[in-house]
């Protein structure tokens, strides 16, 4: 239980650090909007990983077999990962449109 809690805290701290870095760079250094969106996508991915830290300690074949899990926590994690993918795609489209 403690190693899962430590991994969850580490993932969430990385997410908060990434958002703080992106906001600071956007405010001070005029970071481009696509890069800021990409940093937010990375933060969302880390939040999603922090929702289920047990996946770091589970063999890959068992993780794949549990892909059909319909628990509310699994649904929330799926929504968070989908949001991260959406933000990542949006950042690439914005960069393509800006160039």
């Amino acid at each position: 239980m403690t190693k899962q809690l430590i991994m969850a805290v580490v993932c969430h701290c990385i997410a908060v650090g990434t958002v703080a870095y992106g906001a600071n760079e956007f405010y001070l250094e005029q970071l481009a909007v696509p890069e800021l969106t990409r940093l937010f996508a990375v933060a969302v991915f880390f939040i999603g990983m922090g929702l289920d830290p047990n996946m770091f300690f589970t063999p890959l074949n068992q993780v794949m077999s549990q892909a059909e899990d319909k628990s509310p926590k699994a649904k929330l994690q799926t929504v968070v990962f989908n949001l991260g993918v959406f933000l990542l795609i949006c950042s690439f489209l914005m960069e393509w449109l800006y160039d």
Side-chain angles (χ1 to χ4, degrees):
M1 177 64 180
T2 58
K3 61 184 177 180
Q4 286 91 0
L5 182 61
I6 291 171
M7 279 309 296
V9 170
V10 166
C11 286
H12 289 113
C13 286
I14 290 172
V16 169
T18 303
V19 169
Y21 170 76
N24 185 38
E25 287 295 311
F26 182 73
Y27 180 71
L28 295 178
E29 302 292 328
Q30 299 302 320
L31 189 68
V33 174
E35 294 170 358
L36 179 67
T37 307
R38 210 168 295 133
L39 284 173
F40 281 143
V42 169
V44 168
F45 282 132
F46 274 106
I47 289 172
M49 287 188 287
L51 289 176
D52 187 20
N54 195 29
M55 74 178 176
F56 290 107
F57 307 104
T58 306
L60 188 59
N61 59 356
Q62 287 180 357
V63 171
M64 293 302 172
S65 68
Q66 295 173 355
E68 296 299 319
D69 188 12
K70 299 295 181 192
S71 69
K73 191 174 184 179
K75 289 180 183 177
L76 177 64
Q77 187 178 19
T78 302
V79 168
V80 169
F81 276 132
N82 288 341
L83 175 64
V85 169
F86 176 74
L87 287 173
L88 197 60
I89 291 171
C90 286
S91 73
F92 287 129
L93 287 175
M94 284 189 288
E95 187 149 348
W96 177 67
L97 291 174
Y98 281 160
D99 286 340

